[in-house]
Amino acid sequence: MRHERGEAGVPGLSGLPGENDLSAAELEYVESRAVVAAEAEGDERAVEAALRPRRLDDVIGQDRVREQLSLVLQAALGRDRAPDHVLLSGPPGLGKTTLAMIIAAEMGSPLRLTSGPAITHAGDLAAILSGMNDNDVLFVDEIHRMSRPAEEMLYMAMEDFRVDVVIGKGPGATAIPLEIPPFTLVGATTRAGLLPGPLRDRFGFTAHLEFYEPAELDLIVRRSAGLLGVELTDDGAAEIASRSRGTPRIANRLLRRVRDYAQVRADGVVSLDIAHRALDLYEVDRLGLDRLDRAVIDALCRRFGGGPVGLSTLAVAVGEERETVEEVAEPFLVRSGFLARTSRGRVATPAAWEHLGLRAPAGSPFATDPGLFTEP
């Protein structure tokens, strides 16, 4: 095993189109949902890579996971063996890919990356595994979306470091055993409940990443500002952190958008006032709610008297698809205490009325039917 602690290859910031030369007209064209979306797209992945911590000691937050993972890696180094397979679960944007890169860097091993949707056949997985070397780290993002034949092949690879490659079809088919070197699989999933039990049980270490506290996001914003060369005041950093929905990816994205605003319409310093104005322009309010979030609770309160109302009806009222409301808006609204899912539909909570500056009517479901709030 290689014990040297070489740096993982991370793309730099140079050559990114449009990061430092946005015009005022371009800033007016706002895609607010993209600003607070937890997924990363396109060029943003390269920017993210430059901001990622490269060592476990540099990671901010997730203290329990960091301590547990540190023990796993140190023990593996002491035994001169590959670490146990690692499963990382949690909402998008919390650092699962970053931790996978750190595992490879801490072990001094190459990192190979793929994703569950890319592995559609068992042969795809066999091709990846056959190219592995001793103690390589294989990172599979969204591992719950792998095809079933590939999952079944992965069972044997994780446990016995062997796969059976089938040659031919029908009665003449032959299974050829293929030995593969010991490796560490790092799987990432946003929906751990969709993983089959046999696959989940083969991971030696499982970690669930939690949303970050504002104080932790404040430190992340300051660190990213230093890497990006952004002049940032204490109040400005705290304001960006407070609107980041507990997610580092969103915090870094908001920092870059506020930086653009400060560069084009101010003196380049991200102060509290500049952060307010920029985030208001991008329709991210003081609690991190965006246009769609506010539209959902506004429709619930103003049009349906606080509910309960069915998901399909609510989606029509805000002009979005049912899946968009359920998978994009609802999780944050429920977690923030603005919306409740009930057996009879969606209901606005007192916090939602208060956030809109409205008074809940006397017949509010919270006051008249305490038994309403049970899971559907």
Side-chain angles (χ1 to χ4, degrees):
M1 175 180 289
R2 297 175 296 277
H3 285 198
E4 66 273 10
R5 300 162 71 87
E7 292 288 310
V10 180
L13 286 172
S14 60
L16 294 178
E19 277 294 310
N20 293 310
D21 51 12
L22 292 178
S23 66
E26 288 170 325
L27 280 169
E28 294 289 358
Y29 183 75
V30 176
E31 294 290 347
S32 62
R33 168 51 55 181
V35 174
V36 294
E39 294 80 8
E41 300 291 341
D43 292 335
E44 185 176 14
R45 295 185 182 275
V47 181
E48 272 193 2
L51 299 178
R52 297 185 196 275
R54 304 185 186 184
R55 293 293 173 193
L56 207 52
D57 292 340
D58 298 332
V59 175
I60 298 170
Q62 308 294 345
D63 294 341
R64 182 58 59 87
V65 171
R66 284 193 294 118
E67 184 177 1
Q68 294 171 345
L69 187 56
S70 176
L71 288 174
V72 171
L73 298 180
Q74 289 180 33
L77 283 170
R79 293 192 301 266
D80 198 28
R81 297 185 60 183
D84 287 343
H85 303 299
V86 176
L87 177 64
L88 304 171
S89 66
L94 299 187
K96 296 184 292 294
T97 302
T98 296
L99 285 179
M101 293 180 173
I102 287 174
I103 289 171
E106 295 283 352
M107 299 304 298
S109 301
L111 177 68
R112 299 173 181 266
L113 299 95
T114 186
S115 65
I119 305 176
T120 57
H121 305 286
D124 299 333
L125 180 62
I128 294 171
L129 294 174
S130 63
M132 301 284 287
N133 298 315
D134 281 341
N135 304 315
D136 280 1
V137 177
L138 174 62
F139 175 59
V140 182
D141 197 11
E142 295 299 302
I143 193 171
H144 64 273
R145 296 176 62 188
M146 287 179 60
S147 66
R148 183 53 58 87
E151 280 179 1
E152 294 174 352
M153 175 179 283
L154 191 57
Y155 298 160
M156 184 179 297
M158 294 173 67
E159 204 160 61
D160 302 326
F161 299 109
R162 179 175 68 89
V163 294
D164 290 334
V165 180
V166 178
I167 304 298
K169 295 182 179 179
T174 303
I176 301 176
L178 175 65
E179 299 293 331
I180 56 178
F183 70 99
T184 297
L185 173 67
V186 180
T189 177
T190 55
R191 306 182 70 180
L194 296 183
L195 279 179
L199 178 58
R200 190 166 51 246
D201 293 343
R202 283 171 168 79
F203 287 96
F205 173 68
T206 301
H208 180 78
L209 274 62
E210 303 287 348
F211 287 100
Y212 287 64
E213 296 297 326
E216 296 170 335
L217 290 171
D218 188 293
L219 294 175
I220 290 172
V221 169
R222 292 168 185 270
R223 176 184 178 275
S224 298
L227 293 173
L228 293 171
V230 178
E231 190 174 348
L232 182 68
T233 67
D234 293 344
D235 289 343
E239 185 65 19
I240 293 172
S242 68
R243 302 196 192 195
S244 298
R245 304 165 74 112
T247 305
R249 176 177 291 156
I250 295 176
N252 287 330
R253 184 184 297 138
L254 293 182
L255 171 64
R256 298 198 304 275
R257 299 290 71 81
V258 175
R259 173 202 62 182
D260 294 340
Y261 185 98
Q263 174 187 329
V264 174
R265 298 191 176 176
D267 59 0
V269 178
V270 176
S271 62
L272 177 61
D273 179 60
I274 292 298
H276 273 157
R277 286 192 279 163
L279 295 173
D280 288 346
L281 172 65
Y282 284 104
E283 298 185 275
V284 181
D285 71 17
R286 59 185 176 84
L287 295 181
L289 275 68
D290 71 346
R291 180 201 59 79
L292 177 59
D293 299 324
R294 289 191 300 275
V296 169
I297 61 174
D298 187 82
L300 265 176
C301 295
R302 295 181 189 274
R303 302 187 193 182
F304 302 108
V309 61
L311 178 60
S312 297
T313 302
L314 186 58
V316 171
V318 299
E320 295 285 353
E321 296 292 332
R322 172 192 173 104
E323 291 76 12
T324 302
V325 174
E326 184 175 25
E327 297 176 12
V328 177
E330 275 194 356
F332 181 67
L333 292 175
V334 171
R335 180 165 60 88
S336 301
F338 292 113
L339 179 146
R341 293 175 174 175
T342 76
S343 57
R344 287 161 45 191
R346 274 56 177 173
V347 177
T349 67
W353 290 92
E354 182 180 353
H355 187 69
L356 294 175
L358 304 174
R359 175 180 294 182
S364 170
F366 269 90
T368 59
D369 189 359
L372 177 71
F373 299 96
T374 57
E375 285 294 324

